[in-house]
Amino acid sequence: MRLGSVRSLESLQGLEKRKEAYVLSGVSDGGSTVARPAIWPLVLAATVAAAIVIMGSLALADTVEGGWRSATRGTARLALILLLIAYAASSLNLLVGGRLTLELMRRRRPIGLSFAAVMAIHVFCILALAAVARDGHVLHVVDTGGVAYAFIAVLALTSNDYSMRLLGPWWKRLHTVAIHVVLIKFASLVYQKAASGSLISLILLVMIGCSVVLRIAAAFVSTSRTVTSAEAR
């Protein structure tokens, strides 16, 4: 590839990164400020949804222990759905386009923080289950997922404009690594449940697979478009 094409390719890749940063920060390509999606209403809605899951689980279970076990599963599934929406948002926007996917992309930060909030509630459910069941082995779930929980905390604490400016290009790299570590942990747990015959877990596993395929397809399309545009110049 000629030197001019290489420079064009690098320029286009930089433009794509700036566009994504504009979308995430609520600034248009022209530099004018647009309304940024509010964070806390969605986080509050997710928290309320998790509370409903807990109350419903406790009300429908035959025992308190069974209720907390159901609540633990329910909050984990709710958190996973939020994670997959945040994970696939940019891919859907690139592959499908349209106002709906763009709005979804712009709301990745509130969705991601909602995921973190539900995961915090999920940990509370695990602790409550351990207390009710008087079984220390329940806490093994937290121990084995310690790395994933740490990355979730990192994602939540750095989901702000200040961290984006401070970390620069490393912000995107950090979030890419973190979200994949968390997703892999979820996938391994969901696979175990699906292998034991859980239909819901099987559906969630398929959703994870589809999200990964979307991500790969989006990366391929983005690279192909960039190379084609560079060669055309």
Side-chain angles (χ1 to χ4, degrees), residues 135-169:
D135 184 3
H137 293 293
V138 174
L139 297 178
H140 180 64
V141 176
V142 178
D143 294 336
T144 57
V147 175
Y149 287 119
F151 273 112
I152 291 172
V154 170
L155 286 169
L157 292 174
T158 58
S159 291
N160 53 74
D161 293 341
Y162 174 77
S163 296
M164 291 181 68
R165 291 192 298 268
L166 180 66
L167 297 175

Side-chain angles (χ1 to χ4, degrees), residues 77-161:
R77 290 165 179 170
L78 175 60
L80 176 56
I81 292 173
L82 290 170
L83 174 65
L84 291 178
I85 294 173
Y87 181 76
S90 60
S91 301
L92 287 172
N93 186 55
L94 178 63
L95 296 173
V96 180
R99 183 174 181 82
L100 179 60
T101 57
L102 179 60
E103 290 300 316
L104 188 64
M105 171 92 169
R106 291 180 61 238
R107 284 168 173 76
R108 281 199 303 174
R109 181 180 295 178
I111 294 171
L113 290 173
S114 298
F115 158 72
V118 174
M119 281 303 297
I121 296 173
H122 172 67
V123 172
F124 168 77
C125 291
I126 294 175
L127 296 176
L129 175 59
V132 170
R134 296 182 179 179
D135 184 3
H137 293 293
V138 174
L139 297 178
H140 180 64
V141 176
V142 178
D143 294 336
T144 57
V147 175
Y149 287 119
F151 273 112
I152 291 172
V154 170
L155 286 169
L157 292 174
T158 58
S159 291
N160 53 74
D161 293 341

Side-chain angles (χ1 to χ4, degrees), residues 4 19 23-24 84:
K19 284 183 177 180
V23 170
L24 291 175
L84 291 178

